Amino acid sequence: MKIVVLGAGIIGIATAWYLLDEGHEVVVVDRQADAALETSFANGAQISVSFCEPWANAGAPFKVAKWLLRDDSPLLFRPRLDPNQWRWGLAFLTQCTNAAFERNVEELVQLGRYSHESLKALVTRTGIEYDRLERGILHFFSSQADFDAGAAGAEIMRRHGVDRRVLGREEVLKVEPALAAFGNRIFGGTFTPSDESGDAKVFTQKLARLCAERGAQFLYEHDILGLQRAGDGIEAVQIAHTRSGERKTLKADAFVAAMGSYTPALVQPLGEHLNIYPAKGYSATLRLKKPGAASVVSLLDDTRKIAISRLGDHIRIAGTAELSGFDLNLDSATARVRCAALVRRYEELFPGVADTSEPNYWTGLRPSTPNNVPYIGRSRKARNLWLNAGHGTLGWTHGAGSGHAMAELIAGRRPDMAFGFYGMA
């Protein structure tokens, strides 16, 4: 078939790759000048199969309420006159039960495992290099209460077959000796040795080049205007060049919507209502002044809810979530506070290790669902429209597997995992 993939982030490019494996003619459309220039550009860099807990849990409402007035809070909810925000928030609250948490964890672990196997096979096949480090992920805690809660969470994950180990302070420092300067403030941690890290942008762009070499057509710098319905399906997509405004109509046999936070607006005119809301995340990428003193194990700092990952001679500090619409401003008062907090925390943990004079701040919109489980499957409103969106903070973790699963579903096969695919029994 001829299949148009809408979106060139990690999800869209992985989808294109696996569709090419099935022998399809593939066209990829994106408004940017290259792949991975939006949410996949400078994320936390973690492949966190075993650190995939949903935001929604029994304690989440109390934490969000406590953080409401703090510009530097890990999860910032700024109420707006936006029905989509309130719909998302109310649905989020329904997921804040122990039963829902366990159910959502199970799905995310299933997708994560499938995706990790897909990624490893893809890397072996292509030889793509992307500052990959297979050193696991270490989650450390700065209070006894947080450590106790983390140990309880690790037990839940172990029930789902995840190898998450609970470590005391000395064991944490053995896993990552670079934390020694902060060691007296660490109460313990959890460690998942099978997790890894790497640069999502570099990987995605290299995979896109390989797709092009295999015959995929890329229409960069094209805005996606809308879908044209014909009968019970989609006949074409209207696009326009971002600079010239020249319009084109792309006809195809099937379409895949992989536009992250912008996917709901594309499919809403069809009567498809996806509960995806943008969670604005931030990152800072710093050059290392003392590479030998920097961490190599990818870290999660529980106090600040940030990820720290080594990318060659740079370090990436990323995290926080801000539910405030489609704002990508880095110059607002709130944005400046949140960016500065990332660098300040890194300096607390690793004093003098990185050059903080040029922090290379970035922000992106994570397409988040209330339960953190993405929409992967067939549209309920158009037989030849497929959805691959809503991956939240786990787009890099679930990217390869989501693309692989999408190609399998389009081929009429059920991917080998216990996951609730959208629009399918």
Side-chain angles (χ1 to χ4, degrees):
M1 294 189 293
K2 179 178 180 179
I3 302 179
V4 174
V5 177
L6 304 171
I10 178 60
I11 305 299
I13 297 302
T15 300
W17 174 265
Y18 288 105
L19 288 174
L20 290 167
D21 275 353
E22 296 288 338
H24 301 300
E25 177 187 349
V26 177
V27 181
V28 181
V29 186
D30 196 278
R31 64 183 175 185
Q32 298 293 345
D34 201 347
L37 292 187
E38 294 204 14
T39 309
S40 301
F41 183 79
N43 60 23
Q46 294 185 334
I47 303 292
S48 49
V49 176
S50 303
F51 275 107
C52 61
E53 290 98 324
W55 294 345
N57 58 64
F62 305 101
K63 289 182 179 179
V64 173
K66 181 178 69 175
W67 292 333
L68 268 178
L69 301 177
R70 279 180 46 197
D71 276 353
D72 65 343
S73 64
L75 178 59
L76 181 62
F77 180 82
R78 285 285 163 83
R80 300 161 57 91
L81 293 174
D82 179 354
N84 292 323
Q85 185 195 55
W86 286 95
R87 181 168 71 108
W88 189 96
L90 291 171
F92 176 85
L93 290 175
T94 68
Q95 298 297 316
C96 292
T97 67
N98 291 331
F101 181 82
E102 292 249 7
R103 182 177 64 248
N104 296 330
V105 163
E106 186 171 6
E107 288 217 67
L108 292 171
V109 169
Q110 287 284 328
L111 179 58
R113 284 182 178 144
Y114 177 87
S115 190
H116 203 188
E117 291 305 313
S118 298
L119 176 67
K120 288 186 284 189
L122 202 162
V123 172
T124 298
R125 176 178 165 189
T126 61
I128 291 176
E129 296 182 358
Y130 52 100
D131 285 322
R132 184 186 192 188
L133 285 174
E134 297 177 272
R135 301 289 188 94
I137 294 178
L138 175 65
H139 190 175
F140 64 92
F141 302 89
S142 302
S143 78
Q144 187 63 48
D146 288 339
F147 177 44
D148 292 342
E155 177 57 35
I156 292 173
M157 299 303 291
R158 284 198 296 273
R159 287 207 297 269
H160 293 281
V162 170
D163 181 17
R164 184 181 294 188
R165 305 170 187 179
V166 178
L167 310 180
R169 175 192 289 127
E170 296 307 316
E171 293 172 301
V172 166
L173 297 179
K174 283 181 182 177
V175 172
E176 183 45 85
L179 281 167
F182 192 77
N184 63 348
R185 285 172 280 180
I186 292 175
F187 283 74
T190 65
F191 180 55
T192 52
S194 61
D195 285 336
E196 56 181 271
S197 60
D199 194 320
K201 182 198 80 169
V202 170
F203 176 87
T204 303
Q205 290 186 345
K206 287 184 176 181
L207 188 63
R209 307 287 184 271
L210 293 177
C211 286
E213 289 174 12
R214 297 176 69 195
Q217 180 186 2
F218 284 84
L219 295 175
Y220 290 126
E221 297 186 302
H222 279 83
D223 290 320
I224 298 160
L225 304 180
L227 300 166
Q228 289 185 355
R229 183 190 283 281
D232 63 349
I234 302 299
E235 179 182 42
V237 60
Q238 286 280 345
I239 64 174
H241 196 277
T242 54
R243 285 179 285 118
S244 70
E246 180 187 354
R247 294 195 174 207
K248 292 181 183 177
T249 300
L250 289 181
K251 293 189 175 183
D253 300 300
F255 301 82
V256 178
M259 295 163 57
S261 298
Y262 301 92
T263 306
L266 177 74
V267 302
Q268 189 170 0
L270 305 174
E272 190 89 62
H273 297 289
L274 305 182
N275 202 354
I276 298 173
Y277 197 78
K280 184 180 183 181
Y282 296 83
S283 75
T285 305
L286 311 178
R287 183 183 62 83
L288 292 170
K289 294 192 295 186
K290 301 176 182 177
S295 54
V296 289
V297 176
S298 193
L299 303 173
L300 281 169
D301 174 5
D302 189 76
T303 300
R304 300 296 181 190
K305 301 293 188 288
I306 59 173
I308 300 170
S309 296
R310 180 75 173 265
L311 297 172
D313 58 359
H314 287 75
I315 203 81
R316 170 79 48 74
I317 311 112
T320 80
E322 183 181 326
L323 299 171
S324 56
F326 287 82
D327 170 39
L328 282 166
N329 189 353
L330 276 172
D331 295 323
S332 68
T334 298
R336 289 196 296 270
V337 167
R338 293 172 85 74
C339 286
L342 295 175
V343 175
R344 185 170 61 251
R345 182 58 169 176
Y346 186 79
E347 192 64 18
E348 289 174 11
L349 298 170
F350 304 99
V353 170
D355 179 3
T356 60
S357 64
E358 294 184 4
N360 293 307
Y361 292 129
W362 169 86
T363 187
L365 302 176
R366 307 185 190 102
S368 302
T369 63
N371 61 359
N372 287 107
V373 178
Y375 293 93
I376 305 173
R378 189 197 297 268
S379 164
R380 292 171 176 169
K381 302 298 180 180
R383 57 172 177 74
N384 61 341
L385 174 63
W386 299 82
L387 309 171
N388 207 350
H391 295 75
T393 58
L394 295 171
W396 180 208
T397 299
H398 293 156
S402 296
H404 193 183
M406 186 91 279
E408 294 244 75
L409 292 170
I410 291 173
R413 300 189 298 269
R414 181 89 183 191
D416 186 20
M417 59 172 149
F419 183 83
F421 292 103
Y422 184 72
M424 308 184 80

